[in-house]
Amino acid sequence: VPGKVADFKNAASPQKWSSLLSEFFDSAISATQAYLQGQPSQFFNPARNTPTGDFAELPIKWPGFPRLLENSGLPLAEIFRRAEAISGTLIGRQRYQDEYLEWFVTRDATNKIVRIDFTCEGPEYWEFLALNEPDVLLALYRKHISADVKLEELKSGNDYNPLNVWNTRRGAMHLIQPNNTLNAEVRIAGDATILRRNPDGSLKTDAQDLIECARYGEPGRASDPHIGDLVNGLARDGYVISIKDPVGLYMNRPRLAGFTTPDGKPVGQEWFTIARGSEDFILRGVFVAPAGSPFSVGDIQIGGVPIAFGGQVAKVIDMGLTGVAYNKGSLHNQAFGCGPAPRVAATTAATSSVLTRVL
Amino acid sequence: MTPEEPLLDLDDIQGNIFPGFNKDHQTFKFLVIADVAKARQAVASLLGFISTSTSVRQFGLLRASIKAQNGGAASGLSAIWMNLAFGYSGIVKLADEATAKQIGGGDEVLKSAFEVGLAARSPLLGDPSDPATDGHPSTWSIGKPGSAPIDVVITIAGDQRDDVDAFSKELDVRLAQFATAQGQLALQPVIADLQGDTLGGDLNGHEHFGFKDGISQPAIRGRRKSAPDTFVTERILDPNSSLAGAYARPGQVLLWPGQILLGQLRQNGSSPQPLPPQQLPADWIRNGSFMVLRLLEQDVPGFWNTMSSYALNVLGRNDDKALDWIGARIVGRWRSGAPITRSPNMDDPSFIDDNRIVNDFGFRNAGIKPSLIKGQPPLPDLPLSISDPNGDICPFAGHIRKVNPRDDAVELGAPGEVLARLLVRRGVPYGPAYPDPRHAQPDGNRRGLVFVSYQASIERQFEFLMQNWVQGNDSPRSGGGRDAVLGSHGAAAAGLGPTSIRITGQDGAQHDLPQLTNFITPRGGGYFFAPSLSGLATLVGMK
């Protein structure tokens, strides 16, 4: 379970969730096998067969604030404004917050920020709760978003609605940007284990080149090319690779150097509360004044600039996951050119190299 | 295909922004506007003395041609250059507050770094946040909070100290003509002039720790408006080679001019397609650039004491060769400037003798021998850059790997994103040099670097580099440690947490060495805006 949270009440749920997660890995492995034409996949499903042998961990981190928006060339204030705008049908979070970190800003009657909720939980887990643990789903929404939440408000017909009002206009329970899914994370990691070659036969090593070649994500984001870059580096070293348990995406505590209260005192980590997950696996964090503080979030200055947008805090939160790799140099797979996987007729793959490619 | 590069009006751009004064002696004047109307007249009277990109570029070409002719001996040429820049408060006085806010990208809701200024931003850069700690803005000699604002900065640069001093005096006489009826100067010195001088002798071009400095500077794309067939920066790579689209000379990356100049096409990662120019609140801002000035005091004995302790730890000895070997890991270059990924085991000044070699290296990937345009002499036969993806040669906390990761994996996505963070540096040392910095003992003198950089965005470039890469333990490389030279490591770094550098010894063993000492103490500075020549004319003609 992401962050090792103990949400489940139903005894069957842990196994069911594990099976779902396992499907993500199986599917990602199948996608690699579509390429590999009989060569062993360099991606493994930790629920099935964790290798033994030499072992390496590779933490992969990237900034939580959307790089695509940051590179838009808009004035700084406009970038922050758009990232979290809620106006008409536009939910800025759904459109722009695409680095697996999303946030929701609560303001007081004077429009001053009093609280910023950060989440990095993929929607799949919440869909699973809706299906298997509806009481838990409701209880978590009531705990973290509002005591007023009703179960029917979280649904559209019989199905869970991730874009319900309590997870869009009135709060942020989990990720909703379409690319921010747990499955996408697993799939990108898997796809990135495929080695890629240049026309001259040399291996591709550049992050942008790799993602544009393999198309395993959005090249303009920080996360996708960086995950792919580092995972492919492990694959080039001949490792068998996966994502460290508990599989999930995790935020780091905000780096608060330069944050000060109006009386000039440094702002400490007591302003950031881990609301879900644990110190090592933060799934949900809240930036809010500690009890007894005479100040609120909007009073805080970052390098002399008062906090006017949640994105100013998102800029100092890194996102991350950890890659695990076994048996350096154990695999020497063939590298592939760019484009989609060659379609392979599975039954004939081993016997006929002519018939295998049905391009 | 890379689109055609824009025409740049080099007569409109201040010469220290591009191509850079590159002078051995500089004097900085820090002034406050005491009378706006008279100050306009005073600044207007200086406009004819401002050195343009055209003049500075032509001087550089002439000097290079003489040196080529005389076999590299001194050219004998001498010039005096002058440039102007304004603090936020200066723009408010000469233009208006709304314009000053917009120049920095801020507005009524969100203040920009330019507006709040360097002292307020200081803790974000990793400077001490405790007023009791040396280096806190309350201890600064330039731009101390509560002191008179620095509205105007004048940079004077020359080949001879005497010439710079003489020009500086002439300038004082000129400015003294602009006074109110009560005899008050319109532009008043806030503090004494600041002098910066190269270190002299063998240390010319080196900073106080002893390392060659200012070697790696990006090149600007663009063609001369007055001669559209020529690029503003010479290109020496074979146009048919794969590197020609990205580099002016081997290792010198090309940036779209909007990376440095406002209102120009901007760098878009490593994409050959630039981003459109930033929207400007007023046309006179085009071709201007933000200038960051930081007075950085260097603790030379402290630096080499730490190198000595690192050397004992990693190599088991601390003789001069051991100190040099460790120092090269900490900086990423040998004292001569030779890059360690090309010469891992010994300093070799031949790398620095040829400006087609000195920047041609990477960290992650092995070097490729560049092919040059016809007419270029053959490149010296020196080893190419060695692939160092795991930091075994150059540690991830090594200074040049932190501030310019080149081809390394970066947390921002792809290495091309590095390009959008680069800036141009125009610094100069101050204070007396130690004859051999490796054996320096405390002598009571203050010395360091007048760090000067130009960029189109203070937040996205200078501050990003300081906040994220210099002071970041986890960026650009997760767990890489803070910048081994510039980083805040000591007690003053409370809030940043402990940090260490991993150095791989000559025997292949890895050593994780805690970084405990600060070698740099900030002594002040400011954020300024250096307008174009036409912008200056507009600014002094306002109201």
Side-chain angles (χ1 to χ4, degrees):
Chain A
V1 178
K4 297 185 176 173
V5 285
D7 294 330
F8 297 147
K9 304 284 183 229
N10 186 333
S13 290
Q15 185 53 47
K16 277 189 184 173
W17 170 254
S18 179
S19 298
L20 181 65
L21 209 53
S22 189
E23 278 175 33
F24 293 166
F25 279 90
D26 287 345
S27 161
I29 291 166
S30 294
T32 65
Q33 285 167 338
Y35 261 100
L36 290 166
Q37 303 176 37
Q39 301 176 86
S41 177
Q42 288 188 253
F43 197 55
F44 70 88
N45 180 348
R48 294 194 188 277
N49 55 335
T50 297
T52 53
D54 65 86
F55 164 74
E57 276 191 12
L58 185 65
I60 304 173
K61 291 187 181 178
W62 61 91
F65 191 84
R67 176 186 166 210
L68 271 168
L69 194 55
E70 193 155 14
N71 283 349
S72 62
L74 293 163
L76 215 50
E78 186 58 23
I79 287 172
F80 285 128
R81 194 168 284 122
R82 285 195 190 187
E84 58 201 51
I86 297 177
S87 168
T89 57
L90 171 75
I91 307 288
R93 176 177 140 224
Q94 187 190 3
R95 181 182 292 185
Y96 296 113
Q97 295 180 15
D98 62 352
E99 297 287 5
Y100 301 101
L101 178 72
E102 297 180 13
W103 64 93
F104 183 86
V105 174
T106 307
R107 296 173 185 269
D108 68 10
T110 66
N111 209 33
K112 186 196 275 187
I113 296 181
V114 292
R115 173 187 170 109
I116 310 167
D117 286 68
F118 293 93
T119 177
C120 57
E121 290 190 72
E124 295 97 329
Y125 182 75
W126 298 81
E127 282 160 0
F128 178 88
L129 288 180
L131 206 58
N132 298 284
E133 302 263 7
D135 294 344
V136 171
L137 175 81
L138 182 62
L140 289 172
Y141 263 88
R142 285 186 172 164
K143 178 178 178 188
H144 295 289
I145 307 295
S146 166
D148 300 334
V149 178
K150 297 181 182 67
L151 189 59
E152 56 268 29
E153 293 172 314
L154 306 181
K155 292 192 167 183
S156 176
N158 287 329
D159 297 332
Y160 176 63
N161 176 17
L163 299 178
N164 67 74
V165 70
W166 296 104
N167 193 30
T168 49
R169 291 166 189 278
R170 301 176 78 168
M173 190 68 248
H174 60 78
L175 301 174
I176 55 170
Q177 207 282 340
N179 295 324
N180 288 347
T181 67
L182 201 54
N183 194 18
E185 173 205 357
V186 175
R187 181 63 191 264
I188 288 165
D191 285 354
T193 63
I194 303 286
L195 307 183
R196 301 286 174 170
R197 61 173 160 72
N198 294 306
D200 67 1
S202 61
L203 286 179
K204 284 190 182 292
T205 61
D206 177 81
Q208 203 72 30
D209 205 11
L210 280 166
I211 196 168
E212 283 169 5
C213 174
R215 299 178 199 163
Y216 47 59
E218 163 55 56
R221 293 161 93 181
S223 46
D224 297 355
H226 190 46
I227 295 168
D229 187 7
L230 293 184
V231 168
N232 192 261
L234 292 171
R236 294 197 299 274
D237 283 343
Y239 280 109
V240 190
I241 302 152
S242 195
I243 298 169
K244 190 182 176 185
D245 183 53
V247 174
L249 294 142
Y250 303 104
M251 71 182 86
N252 287 260
R253 282 184 171 274
R255 292 172 278 116
L256 297 177
F259 282 54
T260 50
T261 48
D263 54 2
K265 301 252 166 54
V267 168
Q269 287 294 338
E270 65 276 12
W271 282 72
F272 184 81
T273 308
I274 298 172
R276 277 178 61 74
S278 60
E279 193 64 56
D280 292 334
F281 304 105
I282 306 175
L283 292 169
R284 182 179 192 83
V286 183
F287 192 76
V288 67
S293 169
F295 306 115
S296 67
V297 173
D299 295 320
I300 301 298
Q301 296 190 353
I302 307 174
V305 177
I307 294 179
F309 300 100
Q312 290 167 267
V313 181
K315 280 196 94 161
V316 295
I317 295 180
D318 288 335
M319 283 302 304
L321 59 88
T322 301
V324 287
Y326 289 83
N327 300 325
K328 185 176 184 178
S330 61
L331 292 178
H332 304 280
N333 282 344
Q334 173 199 340
F336 293 84
C338 301
R343 287 160 59 195
V344 177
T347 51
T348 57
T351 53
S352 168
S353 61
V354 179
L355 291 174
T356 49
R357 283 183 172 249
V358 198
L359 295 171
Chain B
M1 280 295 290
T2 304
E4 191 164 53
E5 298 186 12
L7 292 173
L8 294 180
D9 183 356
L10 298 187
D11 293 326
D12 193 40
I13 299 165
Q14 296 203 53
N16 203 24
I17 303 171
F18 173 81
F21 286 162
N22 193 24
K23 294 294 187 199
D24 285 349
H25 306 279
Q26 299 193 35
T27 290
F28 301 87
K29 291 181 181 294
F30 303 96
L31 309 168
V32 59
I33 296 172
D35 182 282
V36 173
K38 291 279 182 189
R40 282 182 204 288
Q41 294 172 17
V43 174
S45 81
L46 300 179
L47 296 188
F49 297 94
I50 289 174
S51 314
T52 64
S53 295
T54 298
S55 306
V56 177
R57 182 177 173 276
Q58 284 176 346
F59 179 94
L61 292 173
L62 180 60
R63 185 173 63 173
S65 115
I66 292 173
K67 286 172 82 90
Q69 195 181 1
N70 69 15
S75 70
L77 293 177
S78 181
I80 292 285
W81 305 131
M82 188 196 78
N83 271 181
L84 280 182
F86 300 89
Y88 177 83
S89 54
I91 301 284
V92 170
K93 287 173 186 171
L94 295 176
D96 56 71
E97 188 161 4
T99 306
K101 272 185 185 296
Q102 290 172 343
I103 288 177
D107 59 18
E108 287 302 323
V109 176
L110 188 82
K111 291 179 180 176
S112 68
F114 178 59
E115 177 175 352
V116 302
L118 177 62
R121 303 296 277 179
S122 160
L124 207 58
L125 309 177
D127 294 352
S129 55
D130 177 359
T133 305
D134 197 23
H136 182 270
S138 60
T139 70
W140 285 3
S141 57
I142 303 172
K144 179 178 170 176
S147 61
I150 300 168
D151 293 332
V152 184
V153 179
I154 301 178
T155 305
I156 305 165
D159 296 278
Q160 310 294 333
R161 172 43 64 193
D162 289 349
D163 291 349
V164 174
D165 289 345
F167 187 90
S168 173
K169 278 184 189 152
E170 285 171 27
L171 208 60
D172 289 341
V173 170
R174 173 172 288 274
L175 293 177
Q177 297 166 14
F178 299 93
T180 62
Q182 293 74 35
Q184 188 188 32
L185 283 180
L187 286 173
Q188 299 181 352
V190 176
I191 48 169
D193 292 352
L194 172 67
Q195 286 189 6
D197 299 281
T198 193
L199 298 185
D202 291 344
L203 288 173
N204 257 5
H206 292 234
E207 49 68 58
H208 279 286
F209 296 142
F211 294 83
K212 181 90 173 168
D213 195 19
I215 310 168
S216 176
Q217 301 275 10
I220 292 181
R221 290 183 193 272
R223 296 171 296 136
R224 291 164 64 204
K225 188 178 174 189
S226 56
D229 292 339
T230 52
F231 291 116
V232 297
T233 310
E234 186 189 17
R235 314 287 165 91
I236 67 162
L237 288 161
D238 175 355
N240 297 317
S241 77
S242 60
L243 300 172
Y247 295 89
R249 58 180 56 239
Q252 187 185 31
V253 290
L254 283 162
L255 300 179
W256 288 93
Q259 181 80 4
I260 308 299
L261 300 165
L262 274 72
Q264 296 288 348
L265 293 171
R266 290 169 306 131
Q267 191 66 30
N268 181 19
S270 57
S271 165
Q273 301 295 328
L275 289 167
Q278 185 182 352
Q279 291 172 7
L280 299 177
D283 206 46
W284 65 267
I285 293 161
R286 185 181 320 282
N287 286 340
S289 185
F290 289 102
M291 172 192 181
V292 171
L293 187 148
R294 293 255 285 169
L295 195 62
L296 301 173
E297 189 170 308
Q298 293 175 257
D299 177 5
V300 180
F303 177 85
W304 285 106
N305 281 341
T306 300
M307 295 310 106
S308 174
S309 110
Y310 284 174
L312 285 171
N313 194 312
V314 175
L315 303 172
R317 56 194 178 84
N318 65 348
D319 54 82
D320 282 0
K321 279 195 169 172
L323 292 180
D324 281 344
W325 192 93
I326 284 290
R329 265 70 205 158
I330 294 300
V331 173
R333 291 184 187 266
W334 296 91
R335 287 191 299 136
S336 73
I340 60 170
T341 50
R342 290 193 72 160
S343 183
N345 297 318
M346 57 177 288
D347 199 351
D348 183 352
S350 43
F351 282 99
I352 206 80
D353 291 340
D354 191 324
N355 68 4
R356 302 169 306 166
I357 296 283
V358 67
N359 283 315
D360 188 18
F361 65 97
F363 296 116
R364 191 183 198 183
N365 300 312
I368 302 167
K369 186 161 189 180
S371 54
L372 306 179
I373 53 170
K374 280 182 187 162
Q376 280 285 321
L379 288 164
D381 188 20
L382 291 165
L384 295 171
S385 188
I386 301 166
S387 167
D388 183 31
N390 299 316
D392 294 328
I393 300 171
C394 184
F396 288 110
H399 170 59
I400 65 166
R401 196 165 190 164
K402 283 294 269 184
V403 293
N404 183 1
R406 293 175 179 241
D407 56 345
D408 255 343
V410 292
E411 86 287 13
L412 299 172
E417 189 69 9
V418 172
L419 301 178
R421 307 294 174 169
L422 297 181
L423 38 74
V424 293
R425 293 171 297 135
R426 307 293 186 227
V428 64
Y430 71 93
Y434 284 108
D436 183 346
R438 294 173 299 178
H439 301 292
Q441 297 296 323
D443 64 357
N445 286 314
R446 291 196 157 181
R447 53 175 62 77
L449 182 74
V450 187
F451 171 91
V452 174
S453 67
Y454 289 96
Q455 52 269 299
S457 167
I458 294 170
E459 286 95 342
R460 277 175 60 82
Q461 293 168 263
F462 170 72
E463 288 191 345
F464 174 87
L465 291 174
M466 287 303 298
Q467 188 185 357
N468 292 58
W469 287 354
V470 168
Q471 305 292 12
N473 248 343
D474 287 325
S475 50
R477 169 83 177 196
S478 189
R482 289 200 277 281
D483 187 312
V485 177
L486 288 183
S488 297
H489 303 136
L496 289 174
T499 180
S500 63
I501 180 169
R502 172 170 290 184
I503 298 178
T504 304
Q506 290 170 319
D507 57 358
Q510 292 182 328
H511 300 260
D512 289 312
L513 306 170
Q515 297 173 292
L516 302 171
T517 316
N518 290 351
F519 308 127
I520 307 289
T521 306
R523 294 287 176 216
Y527 289 161
F528 306 98
F529 178 66
S532 65
L533 276 287
S534 57
L536 280 164
T538 306
L539 197 57
V540 296
M542 283 180 175
K543 292 185 181 171

